[in-house]
Amino acid sequence: MTGLSLTLRNARLPGSDERVDVTVTDGVIRQIGYQGRTAPGQESVDLGERWLIPGLWDNHVHFSQWAQTARRLDLSATASATEAAGLVRERAGETLTGETLVGFGFRDGLWPDVPGRAVLDAASGDLPVVLVSGDLHSCWLNSAALAAHGFPDHPTGLLREDDAFAVVNALGTVPDTVMDGWVDTAARAAAARGVVGIVEMEMAWNPGDWQRRIAAGTDTLRVETSVYSQHLEQAITLGLRSGAVLARTGGLGVMGPFKVITDGSLNTRTAYCFDEYPGLAGQPGAHGLLTVPQDRLVGLMRRAAAGGIRPAVHAIGDRANALALDAFAEVGCAGSIEHAQLLRAEDVARFAALGVVASVQPEHALDDRDVADRYWAGRTGRAFVLKSLLDAGATLALGSDAPVAPLDPWVTIAAAVGRTRGGREAWQPGQAISRQAALAASARGRHGISIGDVADLVVCETDPFVASVADLRVMPVAATLIAGRFTHNTLQP
């Protein structure tokens, strides 16, 4: 690659109207400022006074599930089990014999009626139906699907946590060639929104899947691949330490974290909390679910850290977060807590003290605000506390948890900055963060570009430092580059 050079002319940097030229050689920014004439052999692209920012990352995605979402029945707007069953009835006639009707996106936390197998059976007959909740922590099945997935005697058809994960994983068992085609399409769409990299959190052998995909030509994203407990020993045996480049990926694929899920979710009322959920006092699971005992969590994290793989611990409830932080303190390693939705005040400062990244998804605050107001009543002042974490010195890493929220960094940034969407009053606005902080948390700590940076870049039509929250959410992206190579480009030649 020696000598390959590109000059991006007439760029504006966020917060400034000054025009600069940015020269990239061998994938690295070598010069920022007016260059004058283009050197022989140097490519030049005029940005037309658009804004140039660092490339954006989504630090928590389930990419195969995101790629499948467009092919599933959309249940995100349903307000009751009856309404969801009605959509199933409408779609059932269009589903071929031998197929499973799959829906996605229902959130039953505030429904007036209860999901049950009988209501689905009445809508679908013998056609297998699997409806996946918007938070991925529960699945609603009819009798035919329950039998097919090994739960013929389940009383309600509403599976939670590990049982639900097993069903979701089974739904993803399509031929590699089919799935890889869907993934490639989704990767190109992500690049068109300014995404240069993702952290893949699928429950699969992600290193192998992405080695195959990138080698076959899916080259529009950088990918950090996680592993779960069932693949931890395999990764350690192969020497896949966090940060190690995966073979056959041209540097685009890198080993990422070890993911472990310690509790459930708010919508499913399985997030593990110190306080009981309203209406569940004295019942089993009234505090939510601790899905990994503390001694096992510590053992798994210690094994991963010894193998050079940083832990990424899913914790949503305040009790789960406290235990996760305790585990990081005991093991003595750095890593991340994924979600960190509800925190005790005394735990906020521990993130920085322990070197634990808060990997958060701001759009979840807007999805969950109403259910939080009901089930975390009196505690929402310490839910999704982005500003408090920053003020305490913690590092934020923003993401979507797609398909739970859209894989779109501008939706994520707008939610972090405005704490609102759809014209509603901002929810807990004191926990909003600045545009600069939100951009840095989406761009691996940078909100501007510097000489010596790898040229992962995004060209925007609007200055992200002054755009309204509504405009941030739909930010037009003119181009995206990875190491100076266009992965999305609408600029005129």
Side-chain angles (χ1 to χ4, degrees):
M1 291 182 60
T2 302
L4 294 179
S5 187
L6 167 70
T7 295
L8 302 172
R9 294 193 176 278
N10 293 315
R12 286 195 280 186
L13 304 182
S16 171
D17 285 332
E18 182 182 358
R19 293 179 297 170
V20 298
D21 299 334
V22 177
T23 301
V24 176
T25 303
D26 294 336
V28 175
I29 296 174
R30 305 295 185 184
Q31 181 178 341
I32 300 175
Y34 180 68
Q35 180 176 294
R37 291 183 298 176
T38 303
Q42 183 180 62
E43 183 182 357
S44 176
V45 176
D46 192 336
L47 301 191
E49 301 186 17
R50 295 175 175 87
W51 282 265
L52 189 64
I53 65 169
L56 303 175
W57 279 74
D58 191 313
N59 291 291
H60 188 127
V61 303
H62 303 269
F63 207 84
S64 295
Q65 292 182 64
W66 172 245
Q68 293 178 86
T69 298
R71 297 161 178 83
R72 294 177 170 177
L73 176 63
D74 183 6
L75 303 170
S76 60
T78 54
S80 67
T82 301
E83 184 179 350
L87 293 180
V88 168
R89 181 179 288 106
E90 293 175 7
R91 179 67 68 87
E94 305 171 12
T95 305
L96 299 176
T97 301
E99 292 186 352
T100 296
L101 194 166
V102 182
F104 176 77
F106 78 88
R107 297 176 184 271
D108 64 322
L110 300 175
W111 281 1
D113 51 1
V114 178
R117 63 190 292 172
V119 68
L120 273 190
D121 287 348
S124 59
D126 295 332
L127 174 71
V129 175
V130 177
L131 308 182
V132 183
S133 67
D135 60 16
L136 301 177
H137 282 257
S138 64
C139 293
W140 180 17
L141 285 68
N142 69 351
S143 294
L146 287 166
H149 288 277
F151 302 94
D153 300 320
H154 195 277
T156 68
L158 188 64
L159 308 180
R160 299 182 186 275
E161 303 307 329
D162 287 347
D163 289 343
F165 298 152
V167 171
V168 170
N169 289 342
L171 295 176
T173 55
V174 300
D176 289 343
T177 53
V178 175
M179 181 62 76
D180 291 355
W182 294 346
V183 164
D184 185 71
T185 298
R188 294 177 187 279
R193 297 302 296 143
V195 179
V196 298
I198 61 168
V199 181
E200 170 69 282
M201 296 292 193
E202 283 285 11
M203 291 182 181
W205 178 239
N206 293 309
D209 285 346
W210 281 98
Q211 283 175 303
R212 181 185 68 247
R213 292 164 181 167
I214 294 171
T218 296
D219 62 354
T220 52
L221 297 175
R222 299 187 187 276
V223 182
E224 292 184 2
T225 64
S226 69
V227 292
Y228 286 72
S229 299
Q230 65 269 31
H231 293 123
L232 179 58
E233 290 302 323
Q234 181 179 356
I236 291 173
T237 299
L238 292 173
L240 298 181
R241 304 173 69 88
S242 294
V245 174
L246 302 178
R248 301 187 297 121
T249 67
L252 292 178
V254 174
M255 183 61 200
F258 160 61
K259 173 76 180 295
V260 57
I261 299 175
T262 66
D263 74 338
S265 70
L266 169 57
N267 180 74
T268 349
R269 281 81 73 201
T270 49
Y272 193 51
C273 299
F274 286 101
D275 297 295
E276 294 179 316
Y277 285 92
L280 297 180
Q283 300 181 31
H287 293 272
L289 294 177
L290 183 67
T291 56
V292 179
Q294 189 71 356
D295 58 347
R296 175 162 171 75
L297 174 62
V298 169
L300 286 168
M301 291 172 61
R302 183 170 283 126
R303 177 62 178 147
I309 304 176
R310 71 178 183 276
V313 181
H314 164 118
I316 288 181
D318 53 1
R319 197 169 184 179
N321 276 279
L323 290 170
L325 290 166
D326 289 346
F328 275 108
E330 184 171 346
V331 175
C333 68
S336 64
I337 289 182
E338 304 297 318
H339 310 306
Q341 289 185 5
L342 186 67
L343 300 174
R344 297 184 303 179
E346 59 264 39
D347 286 328
V348 171
R350 299 177 71 196
F351 281 83
L354 294 169
V356 175
V357 173
S359 176
V360 298
Q361 299 77 40
E363 185 73 353
H364 290 3
L366 308 184
D367 289 332
D368 290 348
R369 60 183 293 175
D370 295 322
V371 72
D373 284 340
R374 174 178 293 187
Y375 293 110
W376 286 346
R379 290 172 279 164
T380 53
R382 50 188 181 89
F384 303 93
V385 289
L386 306 191
K387 186 175 186 300
S388 292
L389 284 162
L390 279 182
D391 289 347
T395 298
L396 291 185
L398 301 189
S400 66
D401 199 15
V404 181
L407 203 171
D408 186 329
W410 298 106
V411 168
T412 296
I413 290 169
V417 170
R419 307 280 291 199
T420 185
R421 69 170 181 237
R424 295 187 69 179
E425 182 181 356
W427 188 68
Q428 302 294 339
Q431 290 297 335
I433 61 177
S434 69
R435 289 159 175 78
Q436 291 86 343
L439 185 60
S442 298
R444 295 295 167 96
R446 299 182 297 139
H447 58 65
I449 62 173
S450 302
I451 293 172
D453 289 346
V454 174
D456 292 354
L457 301 167
V458 180
V459 182
C460 303
E461 299 285 358
T462 305
D463 185 347
F465 284 6
V466 300
S468 69
V469 171
D471 287 342
L472 278 174
R473 188 169 278 268
V474 294
M475 172 70 74
V477 173
T480 308
L481 301 91
I482 291 180
R485 170 178 60 87
F486 285 100
T487 57
H488 166 71
N489 188 6
T490 65
L491 300 169
Q492 295 298 318

